[in-house]
Amino acid sequence: MTRKIRVLIVDDSTVIRRLLSETLAEDHDIEIAGTAANGKIALAKIPQINPDVVTLDMEMPEMDGIATLVELKKLYPKIPVIMFSTLTQRGAHATFDALAKGACDYVTKPANVGSVGEAIENVRRELTPKLKAFCTWFTETTTPPVKSKRHSETLHRSTTQLAPPTLRAAKLSRVDILAIGASTGGPNALATALQQLPADFPIPIVIVQHMPPMFTTYMAQRLDQACQISVTEAVAGDTLRPGAAWIAPGGYHMTLHRDRTAVRIELNEEPPENSCRPSVDVLFRSVSEIYGPHTMASVMTGMGRDGVLGCQAIKAHGGRVIAQDEATSVVWGMPKAVIEAKLADQVVPLDAMAEQWILQTSEIQKRHVLTRTR
């Protein structure tokens, strides 16, 4: 029998602590190891109760969430931490600081804490799956392994060195766009990869990162400051151009439309797909319809299966797909689903992702020009 996941809940609100405790305890796989009203109490309790994962509020007296996170990671670097954040501009700012300082992920609090039903549903939908995903010992005992870790890492190394036949055949076609899908762990992964791209990256980039409104705005601003390429939150009507990236705004699906002069961004509030809006599948399908065999897509770290159907469309149109490997994914859900569906042309570690984007654009563009001039 698999042991339960032991959770330490850290929040200065008695109401929130009780709500989280009661809701999480309804899941037979979860056990509440303890609660704490602030960071100091939490740090004192950890060696006594040995939690598997910690949920940490941002704003608390005496020792706030960021200060607690920094100290916790010094003392207990292997304990996963999920931040509880408010859906505000200040909350978005603090959340990205927390992710940069070692938090695994975040969950947003309902705007109206008095809405108990909404709060409970939010915990069940958002928090519970993440608690299970970050406890690797739990997921390894409840899901069948795909392959051994050593075999997986060998496969990852080999696929970055030699592209399989499907990708070598695809090299006959140039690349005109890069489409990226990411979820859990995506903000840091995107920052790592996009910062390696030169300002003259020869194609446009469109990105879906599963995040709520305001959070995507702030993420785009931070990436734009850190990257050589331009990074913005997408606005309906934006015209795609090389050396720039657009992030789908939280709450909106992003699609593309080609008119007589350019390819432009469109946004809509149609129903979520895979419980997500924006959805990777929606973006990838649209990109494949516009760019066909000249599409390159990357599926990066994240929970769930969003992106599989979109990758099917990309492959059906002759495009290519790169998936992030298990070893460097915070949660190997979305890339794993694409790989298991046999849709990935390459599986690469995060630190090699940008290198592949550059190689497959610059080299292919050169080859295409040489072919045309002969």
Side-chain angles (χ1 to χ4, degrees):
M1 181 177 178
T2 305
R3 71 176 178 89
K4 295 185 177 184
I5 297 170
R6 293 172 55 79
V7 182
L8 170 61
I9 299 168
V10 188
D11 199 297
D12 65 322
S13 167
T14 304
V15 173
I16 294 295
R17 291 200 304 274
R18 184 172 65 247
L19 184 147
L20 288 175
S21 297
E22 293 175 355
T23 305
L24 291 175
E26 293 175 1
D27 191 300
H28 297 301
D29 296 321
I30 295 175
E31 174 185 354
I32 305 304
T35 63
N38 61 53
K40 286 186 177 181
I41 297 173
L43 292 171
K45 280 191 172 185
I46 287 176
Q48 301 171 11
I49 63 177
N50 296 315
D52 295 307
V53 62
V54 174
T55 67
L56 184 57
D57 189 25
M58 288 287 192
E59 299 181 8
M60 298 180 294
E62 293 191 59
M63 194 173 191
D64 67 12
I66 297 295
T68 304
L69 173 67
V70 170
E71 191 63 23
L72 191 155
K73 281 298 176 180
K74 288 180 183 177
L75 299 172
Y76 315 101
K78 294 184 178 181
I79 296 180
V81 178
I82 299 175
M83 307 302 295
F84 239 54
S85 173
T86 54
L87 195 57
T88 63
Q89 185 173 358
R90 180 178 178 182
H93 186 284
T95 298
F96 278 93
D97 285 346
L99 292 173
K101 288 177 169 57
C104 290
D105 204 2
Y106 67 95
V107 173
T108 55
K109 291 183 178 180
N112 180 9
V113 179
S115 177
V116 177
E118 179 187 356
I120 290 174
E121 179 57 31
N122 188 63
V123 170
R124 288 174 178 159
R125 182 182 66 251
E126 300 289 338
L127 181 57
T128 301
K130 292 179 179 182
L131 292 174
K132 296 180 179 180
F134 289 123
C135 290
T136 54
W137 58 266
F138 177 83
T139 55
E140 287 170 357
T141 56
T142 54
T143 58
V146 178
K147 57 182 79 67
S148 72
K149 187 76 170 180
R150 179 174 297 177
H151 176 76
S152 176
E153 290 175 351
T154 301
L155 172 64
H156 298 158
R157 287 196 297 270
S158 65
T159 50
T160 60
Q161 295 168 3
L162 177 63
T166 52
L167 184 57
R168 291 200 295 271
K171 285 188 176 181
L172 296 174
S173 172
R174 69 183 185 277
V175 178
D176 287 344
I177 192 166
L178 169 60
I180 303 173
S183 186
T184 311
N188 287 342
L190 286 168
T192 297
L194 293 178
Q195 287 182 66
Q196 298 179 46
L197 297 181
D200 61 350
F201 189 64
I203 60 174
I205 304 170
V206 286
I207 302 167
V208 161
Q209 163 69 50
H210 295 157
M211 287 190 119
M214 285 184 284
F215 282 58
T216 48
T217 304
Y218 189 66
M219 181 175 72
Q221 293 171 354
R222 287 179 67 119
L223 287 173
D224 188 57
Q225 293 171 359
C227 297
Q228 298 181 64
I229 63 170
S230 166
V231 183
T232 59
E233 185 179 50
V235 175
D238 282 348
T239 300
L240 297 192
R241 67 182 188 278
W246 289 262
I247 298 173
Y252 289 87
H253 290 309
M254 180 165 68
T255 60
L256 303 182
H257 170 73
R258 186 188 294 275
D259 59 26
R260 292 182 179 180
T261 60
V263 176
R264 306 183 194 281
I265 289 174
E266 295 184 339
L267 304 174
N268 69 71
E269 295 180 277
E270 292 180 6
E273 292 195 23
N274 305 297
S275 302
C276 302
R277 192 176 64 206
S279 164
V280 178
D281 280 339
V282 170
L283 174 65
F284 281 14
R285 284 199 304 267
S286 177
V287 171
S288 70
E289 291 168 2
I290 299 294
Y291 288 92
H294 308 304
T295 302
M296 176 168 61
S298 280
V299 180
M300 302 178 75
T301 174
M303 291 175 58
R305 295 180 56 83
D306 192 22
V308 173
L309 296 179
C311 286
Q312 287 178 352
I314 288 171
K315 296 295 292 179
H317 284 85
R320 71 212 64 180
V321 175
I322 304 173
Q324 186 175 344
D325 72 350
E326 179 181 8
T328 62
S329 294
V330 174
V331 175
W332 201 52
M334 288 164 51
K336 176 184 177 183
V338 169
I339 294 165
E340 290 186 336
K342 302 187 185 304
L343 297 169
D345 295 296
Q346 284 181 290
V347 182
V348 303
L350 177 60
D351 60 4
M353 189 70 73
E355 179 185 6
Q356 286 302 312
W357 296 341
I358 294 169
L359 285 173
Q360 293 187 44
T361 52
S362 60
E363 292 302 319
I364 291 170
Q365 312 302 40
K366 289 179 185 176
R367 192 172 304 176
H368 182 69
V369 171
L370 289 172
T371 302
R372 290 192 327 186
T373 56
R374 285 174 181 170

